[in-house]
Amino acid sequence: MGTDKKILPKRIILMRHGESAGNIDQGAYATTPDHKIPLTEEGRAQAREAGRKMRALISAQSGGTCGENWRVYFYVSPYERTRTTLREVGKAFSRRRVIGVREECRIREQDFGNFQVEDRMRVVKETRERFGRFFYRFPEGESASDVYDRVSSFLESLWRDVDMNRHQVDPSSELNLVIVSHGLTSRVFLMKWFKWTVEEFERLNNLGNCEFRVMELGAGGEYTFGIHHTEEEMLAWGMSKDMIDDQMVRVNGSRETLNDCCTLQLDEYFDLLDVTDDEE
């Protein structure tokens, strides 16, 4: 009989790339393909600092029987700015701590089209605000809902990796997954993970350059921001009170507890919930 046991990641950390040439000059996209936009020197410095903070957080918060044996596995978008961000982040970690790195095309940036003329893109983005950020599809590019579909596929693969221990983490180790990606892609990832609605997604603010958000496994087996982030932080991200309350329940709550607390949006679609099956 096999003795393999599924090892759930202790943390899943989402990180946006550092400051890029496109962040400081929108005109860069008119002459440089989006996937080749480089980091600025400030972006490299941001990534090195973020790496030090991430390592300090993981090492300080790790505990229990496997806390000293924590390990990290990275997933990274194939874009130049995310790859360079990871190289700079990696300087904070010893080789012993890093299990592996996988370049993952499905967590790339939203496709805005090919070369992007600044004046035209300004008009297009104004149209997106009127149409809705989630469903608007850029000409020759993607909508956020398109990104949602490929991120959903990535999540299925990620869980197969966990189920089959493809990270090849030792059972005595504490696993941390770090996903180095882009702002919208990270927000869509969270929308899929926490089953947020389109309206809840459209509330969210983008991550800052090299900002990272930590989802940690709670006592009841659910991942939550509530361990490493404050309610004030989540409010600043654009999360509603209901979204924040859900995160705080996840700190100690189990899936069964969450199901008991969740209305499953019934109130929004049904107005007769207090009526029984008995005939009036």
Side-chain angles (χ1 to χ4, degrees):
M1 293 179 60
T3 58
D4 291 343
K5 180 181 178 181
K6 180 165 66 175
I7 303 171
L8 292 176
K10 177 69 173 179
R11 300 175 192 87
I12 300 174
I13 302 175
L14 296 175
M15 180 178 184
R16 186 187 175 198
H17 60 80
E19 180 188 80
S20 72
N23 292 143
I24 61 174
D25 178 15
Q26 291 292 311
Y29 296 105
T31 57
T32 306
D34 195 0
H35 65 279
K36 291 185 177 180
I37 294 287
L39 287 189
T40 63
E41 285 305 312
E42 173 64 19
R44 289 174 178 268
Q46 289 172 341
R48 289 192 294 273
E49 177 63 17
R52 289 190 287 269
K53 289 181 178 178
M54 187 183 298
R55 188 190 190 285
L57 182 149
I58 293 172
S59 60
Q61 298 297 324
S62 296
T65 57
C66 60
E68 291 300 314
N69 297 323
W70 60 266
R71 298 290 186 272
V72 184
Y73 191 101
F74 292 93
Y75 291 90
V76 62
S77 157
Y79 278 36
E80 178 63 27
R81 54 189 179 272
T82 42
R83 288 159 54 91
T84 304
T85 296
L86 179 54
R87 292 190 190 101
E88 298 298 331
V89 166
K91 293 177 180 179
F93 293 86
S94 66
R95 181 63 186 86
R96 184 175 79 89
R97 297 293 186 181
V98 180
I99 298 173
V101 176
R102 183 179 306 170
E103 187 175 297
E104 175 52 70
C105 194
R106 288 171 293 181
I107 59 172
R108 67 188 185 275
E109 175 64 289
Q110 179 181 11
D111 188 348
F112 298 108
N114 297 313
F115 291 107
Q116 302 165 35
V117 179
E118 187 173 2
D119 290 341
R120 178 171 179 259
M121 287 302 293
R122 186 179 300 111
V123 174
V124 166
K125 289 182 178 180
E126 289 173 356
T127 304
R128 176 182 62 172
E129 292 304 309
R130 297 198 306 272
F131 190 89
R133 285 189 296 157
F134 186 74
F135 291 113
Y136 181 80
R137 179 174 286 109
F138 282 84
E140 303 173 353
E142 290 181 303
S143 65
S145 62
D146 294 324
V147 179
Y148 182 95
D149 292 340
R150 56 176 164 84
V151 167
S152 298
S153 172
F154 164 68
L155 266 172
E156 292 173 1
S157 298
L158 184 149
W159 279 115
R160 281 197 299 273
D161 290 346
V162 170
D163 287 340
M164 301 178 71
N165 195 21
R166 287 174 177 163
H167 304 107
Q168 302 198 3
V169 60
D170 187 278
S172 66
S173 298
E174 184 177 274
L175 175 61
N176 298 269
L177 298 183
V178 180
I179 301 171
V180 183
S181 184
H182 307 265
L184 180 132
T185 309
S186 297
R187 283 178 284 147
V188 166
F189 178 100
L190 296 174
M191 177 188 180
K192 170 65 176 176
W193 188 284
F194 293 117
K195 299 179 177 61
W196 291 337
T197 66
V198 172
E199 289 77 15
E200 288 171 331
F201 165 83
E202 293 192 337
R203 293 178 54 98
L204 301 175
N205 300 317
N206 208 7
L207 285 74
N209 291 122
C210 277
E211 180 182 355
F212 58 87
R213 298 180 181 177
V214 183
M215 300 160 54
E216 180 157 332
L217 194 62
E222 294 293 325
Y223 287 90
T224 175
F225 287 131
I227 295 174
H228 285 286
H229 299 285
T230 65
E231 295 186 34
E232 289 74 18
E233 284 181 283
M234 289 184 268
L235 189 64
W237 298 347
M239 293 172 62
S240 67
K241 182 180 184 302
D242 286 344
M243 296 163 75
I244 295 171
D245 288 346
D246 174 66
Q247 294 296 316
M248 303 316 293
V249 169
R250 289 170 177 269
V251 173
N252 294 300
S254 64
R255 188 173 301 276
E256 291 74 18
T257 302
L258 292 171
N259 287 339
D260 289 341
C261 294
C262 181
T263 64
L264 300 177
Q265 303 167 6
L266 288 175
D267 292 343
E268 183 175 350
Y269 295 99
F270 297 90
D271 58 4
L272 300 175
L273 294 182
D274 58 339
V275 177
T276 69
D277 287 337
D278 296 333
E279 294 291 339
E280 292 292 339

